[in-house]
Amino acid sequence: MTGPASHATPQPSAGTTAPSRATHRPAPWWAVPAAIVCGVMGAIQARINSDLAAELDDGFAASAISFGTGLVILLLLLVIMPTVRHLAARFWRELRSREFPWYLAIGGVGGAVYVLGQAFSVSLLGVALFIVCVVAGQTVTGLVVDRVGLGPGGVRHLTPLRVLGAALMVVSVVLAMSRGFSTQAPWYLLALPMVAGVAMGLQQATNGRVTQHSGHFLVATLGNFVVGTAVLALAASMHMLAAGAPQALPPNPLLYLGGPIGIVFIAMAAYLAGPLGVLTLAMSTIAGQIVGSVVIDAIAAPGHLTVTTVAGAALTLLAAVLAASSRRRA
């Protein structure tokens, strides 16, 4: 994946809001495994960012640092990749001239909303319930986005296999995370992680559209980190004014790998949104995140795994395969 995305097709110009109508071939055999690996990397990134937040005693600062380091790396890549630099500059000109709708280029807000939703609600809801609500929001959004054709792959019908796969995904995540359910928080707080899930689904759709229009997935990735860093830096600054400065930066270099891993995660998702569709991409990355989290927990605390956790993680893979096996297209 070093060149322009091979599935890219021209977008309607003049600021159109029409859904994508791209004609595309079936996804290659490696697309779903690649998306699952992408999800595993997301689980690793989440663990690193969580450890950094604990060291700093400030989740806002940790999130801003993660996005900020990723942005610096991407800017350095632009220096050594003239083709991507040219495509990014051209895309920026098209945004300024409204040739491409600006609201399809702010996918980074989705990542920022997810991080902020995590910071505000995990302590009240618990990690398990937060993840289940995010998965529900992201899965439903994937169904809707594919049906209306907002993603880069065009309209994808709600076939029985796709709907069954989406339902099985939510059930399997509930099963995998059931051991961690414990909360006394009011029910309306469930809206926070659901909104985060919706934001993540829309992020994957808009990133795919930017990749399709610009001709390279790194253009979408760069836009994500610019927007996400700006939002999180503002949130971290406001939090620092209210709660004080974070702890000193930890010396462990591994705690700063969240940004580089995030680049790979977002770039792969932007590249795969076209061939897979938003629903299958979301479900595959969710499966990877759940399986990756189970493996991480097994390494960190091998005695705490349960049969239901392992079974739920395995069912997420089955759900992703069911969604991917449906080939009906508009």
Side-chain angles (χ1 to χ4, degrees), residues 14-41:
T16 180
T17 59
S20 175
R21 302 290 184 183
T23 301
H24 50 82
R25 295 172 293 179
W29 66 268
W30 49 264
V32 169
I36 292 173
V37 171
C38 181
V40 172
M41 297 185 71

Side-chain angles (χ1 to χ4, degrees), residues 134-295:
V134 167
V135 168
Q138 193 173 356
T139 303
V140 172
T141 302
L143 283 169
V144 174
V145 164
D146 276 354
R147 183 62 187 88
V148 302
L150 180 61
V155 176
R156 298 171 188 255
H157 288 294
L158 302 183
T159 62
L161 275 179
R162 289 168 66 79
V163 175
L164 176 62
L168 180 60
M169 176 61 72
V170 177
V171 172
S172 60
V173 172
V174 171
L175 181 62
M177 308 304 294
S178 59
R179 186 173 178 272
F181 289 150
S182 60
T183 179
Q184 301 297 322
W187 63 268
Y188 56 81
L189 285 181
L190 299 178
L192 291 174
M194 286 186 178
V195 168
V198 171
M200 290 289 287
L202 293 175
Q203 178 193 36
Q204 291 176 334
T206 55
N207 284 352
R209 289 291 289 270
V210 173
T211 297
Q212 183 186 60
H213 183 89
S214 66
H216 205 291
F217 54 89
L218 282 181
V219 175
T221 307
L222 175 63
N224 266 252
F225 275 87
V226 169
V227 174
T229 300
V231 172
L232 290 171
L234 177 61
S237 300
M238 294 174 64
H239 181 260
M240 185 171 62
L241 289 175
Q247 301 294 324
L249 293 176
N252 185 358
L254 297 179
L255 295 177
Y256 302 98
L257 292 179
I261 293 174
I263 291 175
V264 179
F265 179 91
I266 294 176
M268 288 179 66
Y271 183 85
L272 294 170
L276 284 180
V278 176
L279 176 64
T280 303
L281 171 62
M283 292 174 62
S284 300
T285 54
I286 289 167
Q289 287 175 326
I290 297 299
V291 171
S293 298
V294 169
V295 172

Side-chain angles (χ1 to χ4, degrees), residues 20-204:
S20 175
R21 302 290 184 183
T23 301
H24 50 82
R25 295 172 293 179
W29 66 268
W30 49 264
V32 169
I36 292 173
V37 171
C38 181
V40 172
M41 297 185 71
I44 296 172
Q45 182 200 35
R47 183 59 178 263
I48 291 173
N49 286 346
S50 175
D51 290 345
L52 178 60
E55 290 285 339
L56 295 172
D57 193 25
D58 189 335
F60 292 92
S63 302
I65 289 172
S66 178
F67 265 74
T69 55
L71 177 59
V72 170
I73 292 172
L74 283 168
L75 293 176
L76 292 175
L77 287 177
L78 289 183
V79 175
I80 62 175
M81 300 179 69
T83 299
V84 178
R85 186 169 67 248
H86 169 74
L87 292 174
R90 186 182 68 183
F91 183 69
W92 171 245
R93 290 194 297 270
E94 290 169 346
L95 277 178
R96 293 181 61 186
S97 65
R98 299 184 181 180
E99 190 174 339
F100 186 83
W102 65 267
Y103 51 83
L104 292 179
I106 56 173
V109 173
V113 168
Y114 175 82
V115 170
L116 293 176
Q118 190 178 47
F120 280 113
S121 58
V122 165
S123 60
L124 299 174
L125 298 176
V127 175
L129 192 54
F130 174 82
I131 291 176
V132 169
C133 292
V134 167
V135 168
Q138 193 173 356
T139 303
V140 172
T141 302
L143 283 169
V144 174
V145 164
D146 276 354
R147 183 62 187 88
V148 302
L150 180 61
V155 176
R156 298 171 188 255
H157 288 294
L158 302 183
T159 62
L161 275 179
R162 289 168 66 79
V163 175
L164 176 62
L168 180 60
M169 176 61 72
V170 177
V171 172
S172 60
V173 172
V174 171
L175 181 62
M177 308 304 294
S178 59
R179 186 173 178 272
F181 289 150
S182 60
T183 179
Q184 301 297 322
W187 63 268
Y188 56 81
L189 285 181
L190 299 178
L192 291 174
M194 286 186 178
V195 168
V198 171
M200 290 289 287
L202 293 175
Q203 178 193 36
Q204 291 176 334

